[in-house]
Amino acid sequence: MYDKEQPILTIKNLRKQFGKGCTICRDLDDKNIQKNFCPVCQTVYACRDVSFELYPAEILGVVGESGSGKSTLMKCLYFDQDVTSGEAYIQGYKNGNANIFAETSQQKKYIRNHLFGMVYQNPYLGLRMNFSSVGNIAEKLIGAGSRNVGFMTGRAQELLGNVNIPIYRMKEAPKNFSGGMQQRVQIAKALSNNPPILLLDEVTTGLDLSVQANVLDLIKKIQRDLKISMLVVSHDLSVIRMLADRTIVMLNGKIIEQGLTDQILEDPQHPYTQQLVHSLL
Amino acid sequence: MKSYNFAFFDEGSKREIRRATLKAIALPGYQVPFASREMPIARGWGTGGLQLTLSLVGKDDKIKVIDQGADESVNAVNIKKLIKNTTDVEETEFTEEATLIQSRHRIPEIELREDQILVLQVPIPEPLREIEPSEYITKRLHADKEYSGIWLMLFERIMKHGSMATGADHPVLVNNRYVMAPSPIPRFDNHKLNNSKALILLGAGREKKIYAVPPYTEVQSLAFEDYPFEVENMDDKVCRLCGARGVFMDELIDEETKEKYYQCNDVSYCLQRLNNEIAN
C-alpha cells in the first residue's frame, strides 16, 4: 500500500517556541545550542528546526534528556499543540504534497483519526477514565465516522483481546485498571483505525520491569504483525535498543545526531550522545 | 404595574434580545450568547424563555404558558401573571388560539401553525457540556462540527443500559450542521421539531444563550445505524379522563387501589377533548 522506498512521514524544520522571543534570543537561537531558554524574555525554544524522515514499517526512536523537546515534538505531530513553523508530509495523504501543519482543523481531525495513533506517557491524557474501555476505543472509531454500535463493539473487543484485557473487564472504566492495563487500553485505542503511523510517547515510563517487558513485547508484536511505522520517544536507552531500527538524539530542542540504533549506541559521535550512552547503569 | 415599561424590559434590552434572536434564527441550532437580565424570578425557573417572550410579545398577542404540560402549575401561573401585569395582553389555555407559547419540557400535542411562536425554557443549552466543561473548547468543537463526544455519550448509555436511554433532552442535529440540546422535552416530542411550521425559540437565562429552530428546518434525532432513535411507546396507553391514545401520558398511581393509570400530559389538550372541542 505504501511505497517502502519513500518516507511515510517527512518532517522539515519543525519549530515550536513558547513565548514571543526577543532580539537577543533570536540571535542566540541558532548559534548557541547550549540553551533553549531565553533568560531575558523567558521564551522556551522547545523544538528547533527538527527535520527527519520515517519510513514504512520502521521504528524510529527519539532519545534525549528531560526538556529536550521529545514530547513537544510528539504533541505537535498529533496536533495537541500548534507548531510555530515547519512542514510535515504524509505519504498517502493528498499524494504527500500537503503540509499537514497548514491544514484546517477539520482536516487535522481527519489525520488524527485516520493516519495517527497516539499513546501518551500519561494515560489520563489519552483515555477518558470514566468511560468504559470499549467506549474509549469506540471514541476513535466514532471520530473516524463509524455509527454502527455492533461494529464498534466487535472491533473494541477484538483489540482489547489482542492487548490481553480480560473480556469480563472490557466494560469497566480504565480508572479501575492498573497502569500497565491503562497503557494497553491506550495502545488498543491507538490501533483501532489501523493507522499507518503510531506515536508512542514514553509508554513504559512509570511501569515496573515485568509490565514494561509485556508492553514492549506487545509493541514489537504489533509492529511485526501489522507493519506499522512507529515513532518511539523515550529517555530509556534500553527501550530504544530493543525497539528502534533508527534513532535520533535530541538536545535542547535540536537533533544532534541520528543514525542506525546500533551505530548510535555502540559508536556515538556527539559528546552529549557519548555521555548519554556511557551514563547507562 | 403601570410604573413598569410595556413587557417589563426597557426598549434597549428588548432590542438586544431580539438581535440575538435574529442571529439565532439565521443560524439554526447555533447558541447565541446574550446578556441575560436580572428577572423577578430566580434563574433556572424559566428566565431564558421569559426574556424571549417579553422581548417578542406585542399588544395583539395571545399568550399561553405551559409547565410540563400543565397551564395551571405554580411556575406557569407566575410567569403568566408577570406577562399579563406588564403587558395586559390576553391569556389563553388553548393552543390554537395562542400566538406566543412559552413552554417548559413539552411541545403541545396540537400541531403548531406558521403564525405561532413556541418559546422553550432550557436549563443546559450545551449538548457537549456533559463531556466538556470548558466553554472555549465546546465553541471550537461546534465550529469544527466535532460531535464525537455526544455520540460517545450515547454509545456509553447503550453499553450500560442496552439502549440510548435518554429520558429527555435527546440531542438533535439541526439543518445538518449544529447538534443542539432540544431542552428537556421527552423523546416523544423530538419529531415535532422536524419541519415545524412554527418558529421555535429556545432560551437559557442562567447560561445566557438563545438558539432557534426556524420554520421548516430539518431536525434529526441522533441515532446509530443499528440502534435507531425510539420514542416512548404510548400506543397501548389510554388517558383515563379523555380516552386519548398516541399522545404523551403521565403515569400515575391511584392512592387507594395502588393501580397504575395514565392521563394526558398536555392538560389543555385533554380538556379540549373532554369538552368535545377536538375530534376524538
Side-chain angles (χ1 to χ4, degrees), chain A residues 178-201:
Chain A
S178 68
M181 283 174 86
Q182 287 174 349
Q183 286 301 50
R184 281 183 276 146
V185 175
Q186 270 209 92
I187 292 170
K189 182 178 182 178
L191 293 171
S192 56
N193 286 325
N194 293 322
I197 302 165
L198 198 57
L199 309 171
L200 304 166
D201 186 7

Side-chain angles (χ1 to χ4, degrees), chain A residues 105-106 109 113 128 130-132 134-136 138-139 142-143 146-153 171, chain B residues 131-132 140 143-149 151-153 155-156 158-160 177 223-227:
Chain A
S105 54
Q106 283 183 327
K109 179 188 139 196
N113 284 324
R128 289 184 187 274
N130 291 321
F131 285 69
S132 66
V134 175
N136 268 287
E139 184 183 15
I142 288 168
S146 177
R147 296 288 180 267
N148 190 307
V149 175
F151 164 74
M152 289 189 283
T153 314
K171 286 189 181 177
Chain B
I131 53 136
E132 180 49 66
R140 286 189 63 161
D144 288 345
K145 208 180 173 188
E146 166 56 73
Y147 294 122
S148 307
W151 287 100
L152 180 60
M153 260 160 42
F155 180 89
E156 276 293 291
I158 292 170
M159 286 296 106
K160 274 185 192 157
R177 178 59 186 86
F224 291 99
E225 288 164 7
D226 48 348
Y227 278 81

Side-chain angles (χ1 to χ4, degrees), chain A residues 3-19:
Chain A
D3 183 354
K4 288 184 179 174
E5 303 300 317
Q6 298 297 320
I8 193 164
L9 176 67
T10 308
I11 309 290
K12 288 182 183 169
N13 303 321
L14 187 153
R15 290 174 71 87
K16 175 66 186 172
Q17 66 185 61
F18 297 94

Side-chain angles (χ1 to χ4, degrees), chain B residues 253-269:
Chain B
I253 307 279
D254 191 308
E255 287 295 320
E256 287 175 7
T257 62
K258 305 293 177 197
E259 276 179 24
K260 250 193 267 180
Y261 66 93
Y262 296 92
Q263 203 169 297
C264 290
N265 175 269
D266 188 339
V267 173
S268 76
Y269 174 80

Side-chain angles (χ1 to χ4, degrees), chain A residues 87-102:
Chain A
E87 296 167 18
Y89 301 91
I90 298 175
Q91 192 194 139
Y93 177 70
K94 295 188 177 175
N95 296 323
N97 295 323
N99 173 15
I100 59 170
F101 293 142

Side-chain angles (χ1 to χ4, degrees), chain A residues 70-71 75 118-126 179 182-183 186 199-207 233 235:
Chain A
K70 310 183 298 289
S71 290
K75 284 174 184 165
M118 175 75 165
V119 182
Y120 293 91
Q121 177 180 359
N122 181 355
Y124 278 76
L125 292 175
Q182 287 174 349
Q183 286 301 50
Q186 270 209 92
L199 309 171
L200 304 166
D201 186 7
E202 303 267 17
V203 279
T204 55
T205 306
L207 304 179
V233 160
H235 63 264

